[in-house]
Amino acid sequence: MGKTVVEKILSNNLRRSVNAGDEALFSPDIITAYDYPGYIDKYEEQLRELGINRVTNKEKYIFFIDHFVPASTAKEQELHQGTRRFARENGIRLVEGRGIGHQVIMEMGYARPNQFVVHFDGHISTVGALGCLGIGIRNSMIEAIATEQVSLVVPGTVRIELEGSLQPGVTARDVFHTIVQRIGPAGARACMIEYGGKGLRSLDMDERMTLCNQAMFLGGISSIMETDERVYNYFHERGLPGYQEVVPDRDAQYEKIVQINLTDIEPVIVVPPSSANTVPITDVLGIPIHSGYIGSCASGRVKDFEQAVSILKGRKVVDGFRLNAVPTSTEIQAEISKMGITAHLIEAGALVSFPSCDFCVGRLGALADGENALSTGTLNIPGRMGSTKANIYTASPYTIAASAIYGKITDPREFF
């Protein structure tokens, strides 16, 4: 019986064959976390309770400071200081000032094809775009940090077979939310999501990262993609080692296979208060919008800003509309500056900020009661970006740019 991508990676990790439903202790190649109250600071406390003074194989660990950046209170700075000290005392790699960890871990070459990475945050699924298995294990993180192992039942896999290519004005965000609409928010419950097919080849790496980032909103454990020449080029162009081909066997067994024709996808909007409320954009045209956010670990990459600027260039954001543009990493920030994208965003009236998670969680760019926002952030639940009485609509960069010009939800296809 053939194997899915996740079965291959976990079999390689264990050095023996495993299939969906098998339970075993696996040794992650990378154990990673970000600095946030109740996480890294608690791990240190829990390790002491277990009688562990230092981690052993320090090369397996990498921590990121990407929230509260820069710190605006003494308490936030104290949190960062604690993380720096913990990392220094244990010889753990600590990265700060380079952007959101889920992105930077790929740019720095720590997430590689055929590897197994754990984090407490489910958006580590983003690394699946590289053929790397990233799983958010929540409270089991202390098990991984203390023992360098994690108990895991090999999940079944939902295969999403892509064909065709995207039409103008349509993005990877529209693709993902169309999949939610098609199979439901529990359509991949407790399963891996494996993307492949001829249509995958038409999507660049930025688009693939967006697709993989959102796995939890299909009920999935994580997402992963088969590798191809685009993934090879991602590593080759950066001079990164460790590229391996990762593809499923032709006779792999899946829980189900979902066919998605990219050519048929149209712009969609996710309506508050749930990530399950996906509707065609035509259902919500004209709703007043007060704020826009392009950024987050889901959609703050070069492609996202290219899409926004293709509409904003030579135009102005309507008076009173607040448009926040937040690159996911400093590498992306530098690239869009070299390309002239930053200047076009500023000329259009956007606030271009430093890479940070803080706009996505409402620490910066917060909403007031009664306001409506269009966001490429990860969640649209009440209170995510400030007031619990504000409304967050999730949309693509194209849609946010078009809507910023008129101050209301606008179909971006009218600009093509």
Side-chain angles (χ1 to χ4, degrees):
M1 181 174 68
K3 293 187 182 298
T4 64
V5 168
V6 66
E7 289 170 337
K8 283 190 170 184
I9 291 174
L10 291 179
S11 293
N12 179 71
N13 179 274
L14 201 60
R15 294 187 173 85
R16 67 175 173 85
S17 177
V18 290
N19 297 300
D22 293 339
E23 183 173 8
L25 275 175
F26 297 91
S27 298
D29 296 290
I30 297 291
I31 299 165
T32 184
Y34 55 56
D35 190 28
Y36 200 78
Y39 295 102
I40 291 178
D41 54 335
K42 292 299 180 183
Y43 301 149
E44 182 178 20
E45 179 183 320
Q46 291 168 332
L47 287 174
R48 283 198 300 266
E49 291 174 358
L50 293 169
I52 299 172
N53 296 318
R54 292 176 62 88
V55 301
T56 50
N57 296 318
K58 60 185 181 182
E59 69 279 357
K60 280 195 171 193
Y61 298 82
I62 181 168
F63 292 162
F64 292 90
I65 292 178
D66 52 16
H67 291 71
F68 310 136
V69 180
S72 62
T73 67
K75 190 172 182 179
E76 291 174 354
Q77 190 56 251
E78 288 167 5
L79 178 72
H80 294 336
Q81 286 179 331
T83 296
R84 294 180 188 116
R85 177 187 47 75
F86 179 41
R88 183 174 60 252
E89 291 177 354
N90 283 273
I92 293 171
R93 293 168 293 195
L94 176 65
V95 180
E96 59 177 308
R98 291 191 59 163
I100 300 175
H102 303 313
Q103 175 72 24
V104 180
I105 196 172
M106 295 184 288
E107 294 173 350
M108 296 181 72
Y110 293 121
R112 299 194 292 271
N114 207 32
Q115 282 196 324
F116 176 32
V117 178
V118 295
H119 195 303
F120 61 80
D121 187 314
H123 293 299
I124 193 63
S125 59
T126 311
V127 303
L130 302 182
C132 179
L133 175 60
I135 295 182
I137 58 175
R138 300 299 178 186
N139 292 336
S140 295
M141 271 297 290
I142 188 59
E143 175 189 10
I145 289 174
T147 70
E148 298 175 11
Q149 292 185 307
V150 61
S151 179
L152 185 70
V153 176
V154 179
T157 297
V158 172
R159 168 83 173 183
I160 297 182
E161 191 82 13
L162 303 176
E163 58 183 62
S165 58
L166 296 176
Q167 297 293 322
V170 181
T171 75
R173 292 299 294 244
D174 299 309
V175 174
F176 180 80
H177 296 301
T178 297
I179 296 171
V180 175
Q181 193 175 45
R182 180 85 58 86
I183 68 175
R189 185 177 180 181
C191 290
M192 282 295 301
I193 301 163
E194 180 184 288
Y195 290 96
K198 293 182 180 179
L200 179 60
R201 299 172 193 165
S202 71
L203 301 179
D204 67 22
M205 292 307 301
D206 287 356
E207 293 169 313
R208 297 179 189 202
M209 291 172 191
T210 291
L211 274 182
C212 282
N213 175 273
Q214 305 277 287
M216 63 177 69
F217 303 123
L218 282 169
I221 292 173
S222 189
S223 294
I224 199 161
M225 292 175 169
E226 53 190 32
T227 60
D228 59 16
E229 67 281 358
R230 287 189 187 268
V231 182
Y232 169 80
N233 290 337
Y234 182 89
F235 280 83
H236 180 70
E237 290 166 3
R238 286 165 175 74
L240 297 173
Y243 173 79
Q244 296 180 39
E245 184 181 69
V246 179
V247 294
D249 292 328
R250 293 193 177 192
D251 57 344
Q253 301 296 303
Y254 296 101
E255 299 295 317
K256 59 184 172 185
I257 299 176
V258 180
Q259 303 284 345
I260 298 292
N261 190 329
L262 299 177
T263 309
D264 297 335
I265 304 293
E266 297 186 344
V268 296
I269 299 284
V270 184
V271 178
S274 166
S275 57
N277 295 340
T278 299
V279 301
I281 195 171
T282 50
D283 287 4
V284 290
L285 291 175
I287 290 178
I289 300 295
H290 308 96
S291 176
Y293 165 54
I294 302 173
S296 82
C297 60
S299 299
R301 301 181 180 87
V302 173
K303 185 64 169 275
D304 299 296
F305 294 112
E306 284 181 320
Q307 291 169 347
V309 163
S310 71
I311 290 176
L312 290 172
K313 185 178 180 180
R315 299 185 173 94
K316 293 286 187 181
V317 169
V318 68
D319 288 345
F321 190 99
R322 310 184 305 275
L323 178 59
N324 293 302
V326 188
T328 307
S329 72
T330 54
E331 179 181 303
I332 294 167
Q333 184 180 34
E335 183 63 22
I336 65 172
S337 178
K338 291 176 186 175
M339 296 171 68
I341 289 174
T342 300
H344 291 310
L345 288 168
I346 292 171
E347 288 164 3
L351 170 66
V352 182
S353 191
F354 45 84
S356 169
C357 293
D358 294 337
F359 285 83
C360 189
V361 299
R363 177 178 172 269
L364 295 172
L367 303 175
D369 289 3
E371 288 194 311
N372 297 330
L374 277 177
S375 169
T376 64
T378 57
L379 283 167
N380 68 338
I381 57 175
R384 174 68 176 183
M385 295 175 67
S387 171
T388 57
K389 296 180 181 178
N391 299 303
I392 304 168
Y393 295 81
T394 304
S396 75
Y398 278 138
T399 298
I400 294 172
S403 302
I405 293 170
Y406 294 115
K408 59 186 179 181
I409 294 179
T410 302
D411 192 327
R413 290 173 296 184
E414 70 177 66
F415 292 87
F416 293 88

